[in-house]
Amino acid sequence: MKKILLPLFAIVVLLIVSFTPNTQEFQGQAIYLSKSTMELGNWGARMSEAQKKQIKARLKNRLEKTYTLNFNKEESVFNEEEKLDAISGATDSWGKNFARGEQYKNVKANELVQTQEFYGKKFLVKDGLQEFDWNMGSETKQIGQYMCFKASALVPTDELTWFDFSWGKLRRQQAQQNDSTATTPEIDMTQVVAWYTPQIPVSHGPAEYWGLPGLILEVNAGNTTMLCSKIIMNPKDNLKIVAPDKGKIVDKTEYQVTVLDKMKEMMENRGRRRSR
């Protein structure tokens, strides 16, 4: 990660905070609202507006989510609040297989510990934190009572969505492996824009995002926006900020290989049943 140059206002705020008593021992909780847009493409062009509306309502749980980030100076735990399906009243069991699990980050130790569940099997993914080469800007905006500064980074999309899989992605991967003339595919990149506040001097943020000189209150990446809607500093009850410890221990690469192998097996079995 490159050296970070702070705007003058951010430096002043950090100096004030650094001389405030007990800043090293605080805890905090931030609530984030996440919204994603869905592109229907050519498939959507053949649908009526009523059909599009019905599909978006059916997928509301996947497009709109609420998360909680509990943090202290060095550690954080990020969790999604479970919701009932908007149509059936059940939890989204299919989507759960490809959703981010409970996520623990330790910014001092550069440590990620994340729970993942795939078709009933629990994994404990242990790896380093995602690297961000942040470009610091002087642009500011107010989020709630906090003055925030803009930072941006360009990140390989697959590194931000390492826990997410799709049948389409698997088919494209297999096609590339079977095509001896295929060239090395171009790496898909995602532009990330983050807004952080030095008034809360921790390097935490929602999801994979971290590494700025203040809590990240808003992130825009691809078709998803995460916005902090509430912050509670030093709550009366101590927050539980510990790494999860249940599941088969793997790193990100091992987890991806395991899931893709299982998806290939399922695809092959489905093909055999159709050919009978």
Side-chain angles (χ1 to χ4, degrees), residues 163-219:
F163 50 84
D164 194 8
F165 301 87
S166 68
W167 295 111
K169 182 177 179 179
L170 176 60
R171 293 188 186 98
R172 287 193 298 272
Q173 185 186 70
Q174 289 181 317
Q176 290 169 357
Q177 291 174 346
N178 296 333
D179 185 357
S180 59
T181 64
T183 58
T184 302
E186 185 177 344
I187 297 176
D188 185 30
M189 305 293 285
T190 293
Q191 179 72 34
V192 177
V193 175
W195 294 88
Y196 68 95
T197 176
Q199 290 172 255
I200 305 178
V202 297
S203 293
H204 299 304
E208 283 61 50
Y209 308 105
W210 72 288
L212 289 167
L215 181 66
I216 298 172
L217 299 190
E218 181 179 337
V219 175

Side-chain angles (χ1 to χ4, degrees), residues 55-259:
I55 287 177
K56 289 181 179 179
R58 183 67 180 83
L59 296 177
K60 183 178 177 66
N61 275 3
R62 300 190 198 180
L63 298 175
E64 298 181 12
K65 299 183 178 184
T66 302
Y67 296 91
T68 299
L69 178 73
N70 293 336
F71 61 88
N72 56 33
K73 197 68 176 176
E74 298 175 356
E75 304 165 288
S76 68
V77 173
F78 186 67
N79 256 322
E80 178 184 348
E81 293 184 7
E82 191 171 89
K83 296 180 181 178
L84 292 180
D85 186 278
I87 303 297
S88 67
T91 55
D92 184 6
S93 57
W94 169 256
K96 188 176 180 180
N97 287 307
F98 306 105
R100 179 190 295 105
E102 180 182 13
Q103 182 192 75
Y104 166 89
K105 297 199 293 284
N106 187 314
V107 298
K108 183 177 181 180
N110 188 29
E111 180 184 18
L112 168 77
V113 182
Q114 186 163 317
T115 61
Q116 291 297 135
E117 184 174 337
F118 184 72
Y119 282 94
K121 187 169 183 178
K122 295 183 183 298
F123 294 87
L124 194 65
V125 181
K126 292 188 175 185
D127 217 312
L129 298 178
Q130 174 63 43
E131 293 185 4
F132 292 94
D133 187 12
W134 292 112
N135 292 310
M136 313 295 289
S138 58
E139 186 177 344
T140 65
K141 74 173 179 177
Q142 196 82 9
I143 298 180
Q145 66 187 59
Y146 298 97
M147 175 66 75
C148 295
F149 290 85
K150 183 179 180 180
S152 61
L154 200 59
V155 187
T157 303
D158 284 345
E159 293 184 15
L160 293 176
T161 58
W162 60 266
F163 50 84
D164 194 8
F165 301 87
S166 68
W167 295 111
K169 182 177 179 179
L170 176 60
R171 293 188 186 98
R172 287 193 298 272
Q173 185 186 70
Q174 289 181 317
Q176 290 169 357
Q177 291 174 346
N178 296 333
D179 185 357
S180 59
T181 64
T183 58
T184 302
E186 185 177 344
I187 297 176
D188 185 30
M189 305 293 285
T190 293
Q191 179 72 34
V192 177
V193 175
W195 294 88
Y196 68 95
T197 176
Q199 290 172 255
I200 305 178
V202 297
S203 293
H204 299 304
E208 283 61 50
Y209 308 105
W210 72 288
L212 289 167
L215 181 66
I216 298 172
L217 299 190
E218 181 179 337
V219 175
N220 300 285
N223 68 336
T224 299
T225 295
M226 286 188 178
L227 177 63
C228 181
S229 62
K230 183 179 180 180
I231 296 176
I232 304 172
M233 295 304 300
N234 299 315
K236 293 180 180 179
D237 297 328
N238 283 337
L239 300 172
K240 185 179 180 182
I241 306 175
V242 295
D245 59 3
K246 304 230 182 294
K248 180 182 178 182
I249 297 176
V250 293
D251 61 21
K252 291 178 185 177
T253 301
E254 290 169 333
Y255 178 72
Q256 290 175 316
V257 169
T258 299
V259 173

